Amino acid sequence: MKNYPEAKKWVAEAEKYALFPAKTAFLKGIILAAEGKAEEAVASFEKAKSLDKSYAQAADLQIGLTYIGARKYDQARERLQAAITQDPVSDLATFARRYQDLVEQRSFLERPLRFTISLLGQYDTNMLQEPYAWPMLGDMGEEKSYAMTNTFRVDFVPRLSGPWLFNATYALVSNIHQKNATSHDLLANTLSVSPGYSFGRVALNLLATYTHVLRRNPSYERYVEMSEVGPLLRFIVSENQLAELFSGYTKKNYFTTPLAPEEDQSSHGGSGYVSYTFFFRGGALANVKYRYADERAEGDNWANEAHTFTLNTIFPLFKSLRAQLGGEVTIQDYKNTHTFFGEKRRDRLYTAMLGLVYDINRYVSLTAQYQYTRGYSNIFLYDYNRNLWSAGVEFRF
């Protein structure tokens, strides 16, 4: 840990006696930049330049770095280019060029308005979640089908001054099928907003999400709307570890008329999760997450509590190729004796996923993924397995 108070003391002494004024102003700028006082740091570097022209290139480089830290990328570009122009073959110019690449990358990643379009072709071996063969259970239909999932997403993350935070997301998802299209095609709209406040290593957000789903029957009709709202707390545990804690209220409203009152899936209840992410060199990361949901359904057959445990990892294989590996376990216990089967339903859902992402450039990526799902249930109607193969392309603007 750098001893900035001690350094500031000696800088103050040097200023008092006017010792090496240019050098003192330059060192003061470095300290101020490290403390996050960007404007004061820039003023100090400018002073060093005015007192001694030999500091000009180094000062412009430091000003560029200070603007990067303050997320002022246009100003950073100008100063880094100025540092290069002054002496293009110097070591400082080489450093400035490297940081220019960083500025371009971070400027793209942190752009306020972001558009994403993904086109994903799929093959689903059990789109109906048809259970295993059972005596006197009729065939539910052709469960194997090709499908297409298309997504349009807009993220708005403005660069706010001070500690205030805000981000909003709108997503439109279309899921169409080769078979059973008139009963299973979906069109979903999701809006999410998250204003917040940063306390430094801790940030508090209010997360609110609303989703509205249309389903074909055989034309598109209102199917379900879902909403969730609650506080989200983020902790920067260390330089490469991030923790999240969320607690909220969830509501689901199904528009279709159930076959019986006990089958009404509309519900409300509590929800929450704890998440921990590890970041590694080279862009690798690992995330572990636990989520709890209490669904107090209108129909007795659907009231349940669920505990979900998730592990997801991303790690680079080559410069532009990343692998994704993940798994999820859900323990879902229903609260009431099922009115048709005479026992309380208990489900255990296991999911495994393996994927590859190849970045053609910063704007286009190719994706391929395999997902296996095995649903165990003590009630045969909900006991099934499913294989889902996906491949497609993603565009980012």
Side-chain angles (χ1 to χ4, degrees):
M1 183 175 180
K2 292 181 172 60
N3 192 352
Y4 290 121
E6 183 71 14
K8 289 170 69 175
K9 183 182 76 173
W10 289 109
V11 165
E13 287 293 315
E15 286 182 323
K16 179 179 179 181
Y17 296 102
L19 298 174
F20 309 106
K23 184 176 182 180
T24 300
F26 187 83
L27 293 176
K28 185 177 181 180
I30 292 177
I31 295 170
L32 291 169
E35 293 178 333
K37 301 175 181 178
E39 295 304 321
E40 295 178 46
V42 170
S44 195
F45 289 129
E46 293 285 11
K47 182 178 179 181
K49 285 176 58 177
S50 65
L51 292 172
D52 188 343
K53 298 301 182 183
S54 66
Y55 279 91
Q57 187 180 34
D60 280 331
L61 175 59
Q62 290 297 331
I63 292 172
L65 298 181
T66 301
Y67 281 138
I68 292 175
R71 300 169 67 184
K72 297 181 178 181
Y73 300 119
D74 291 338
Q75 293 95 318
R77 287 190 191 95
E78 293 176 4
R79 291 308 183 119
L80 292 173
Q81 186 57 50
I84 294 170
T85 303
Q86 291 176 52
D87 189 354
V89 297
S90 66
D91 290 338
L92 288 177
T94 300
F95 283 122
R97 291 188 185 94
R98 292 175 183 173
Y99 282 111
Q100 274 188 323
D101 294 337
L102 175 64
V103 167
E104 293 301 322
Q105 182 180 11
R106 288 185 60 174
S107 179
F108 179 76
L109 293 175
E110 298 180 19
R111 60 201 186 280
L113 197 59
R114 311 165 193 178
F115 298 90
T116 305
I117 298 174
S118 66
L119 309 173
L120 206 62
Q122 298 176 314
Y123 177 69
D124 193 337
T125 64
N126 192 0
M127 63 167 292
L128 301 177
Q129 297 183 14
E130 186 173 68
Y132 288 105
W134 193 263
M136 301 181 66
L137 180 66
D139 188 7
M140 297 175 64
E142 180 56 61
E143 70 276 7
K144 298 179 180 179
S145 176
Y146 291 101
M148 191 80 181
T149 297
N150 304 318
T151 304
F152 171 71
R153 172 173 171 152
V154 182
D155 292 284
F156 178 57
V157 189
R159 297 171 186 165
L160 303 179
S161 59
W164 292 102
L165 308 169
F166 182 81
N167 65 77
T169 298
Y170 166 74
L172 172 64
V173 180
S174 169
N175 185 224
I176 56 178
H177 301 82
Q178 175 199 20
K179 300 176 181 177
N180 307 299
T182 56
S183 59
H184 283 74
D185 284 1
L186 299 175
L187 187 64
N189 289 272
T190 297
L191 178 64
S192 176
V193 294
S194 182
Y197 190 91
S198 175
F199 299 91
R201 299 178 68 89
V202 179
L204 178 63
N205 291 74
L206 178 64
L207 178 62
T209 302
Y210 173 78
T211 299
H212 186 277
V213 181
L214 300 174
R215 185 173 181 174
R216 288 190 64 183
N217 186 33
S219 60
Y220 281 103
E221 298 177 354
R222 293 190 305 169
Y223 177 58
V224 62
E225 61 179 1
M226 299 171 285
S227 57
E228 185 176 49
V229 62
L232 170 63
L233 201 60
R234 286 192 175 94
F235 305 85
I236 300 177
V237 180
S238 67
E239 187 176 333
N240 61 348
Q241 297 180 39
L242 176 69
E244 293 185 350
L245 178 64
F246 173 79
S247 177
Y249 174 79
T250 304
K251 184 175 177 62
K252 295 180 182 179
N253 180 32
Y254 285 83
F255 297 103
T256 55
T257 303
L259 297 175
E262 298 86 353
E263 286 294 298
D264 190 347
Q265 297 183 55
S266 296
S267 66
H268 66 94
S271 61
Y273 71 79
V274 178
S275 172
Y276 205 96
T277 305
F278 300 86
F279 299 92
F280 304 96
R281 291 181 179 179
L285 66 85
N287 173 261
V288 291
K289 184 176 182 179
Y290 163 73
R291 182 176 179 89
Y292 170 78
D294 178 17
E295 294 192 13
R296 303 164 196 167
E298 298 294 329
D300 287 348
N301 291 342
W302 289 94
N304 71 88
E305 287 186 340
H307 305 267
T308 301
F309 305 87
T310 306
L311 171 63
N312 283 312
T313 60
I314 299 175
F315 48 93
L317 298 177
F318 302 102
K319 183 178 180 181
S320 301
L321 182 65
R322 307 189 307 276
Q324 299 176 328
L325 184 64
E328 185 172 277
V329 177
T330 298
I331 301 171
Q332 195 166 23
D333 292 324
Y334 289 74
K335 300 178 181 180
N336 305 309
T337 300
H338 202 285
T339 54
F340 301 142
F341 296 100
E343 59 181 318
K344 289 186 178 181
R345 177 180 165 189
R346 298 186 305 276
D347 289 357
R348 303 294 182 263
L349 190 66
Y350 302 91
T351 302
M353 181 273 292
L354 174 64
L356 293 173
V357 179
Y358 179 73
D359 297 321
I360 296 177
N361 52 44
R362 68 167 58 171
Y363 304 103
V364 184
S365 296
L366 302 178
T367 64
Q369 187 181 100
Y370 167 71
Q371 180 176 298
Y372 174 75
T373 302
R374 178 68 174 95
Y376 290 95
S377 180
N378 61 323
I379 295 179
F380 70 89
L381 190 62
Y382 308 104
D383 195 276
Y384 72 99
N385 71 349
R386 184 182 188 183
N387 296 276
L388 183 63
W389 304 85
S390 305
V393 59
E394 180 179 275
F395 302 94
R396 298 173 295 276
F397 307 96

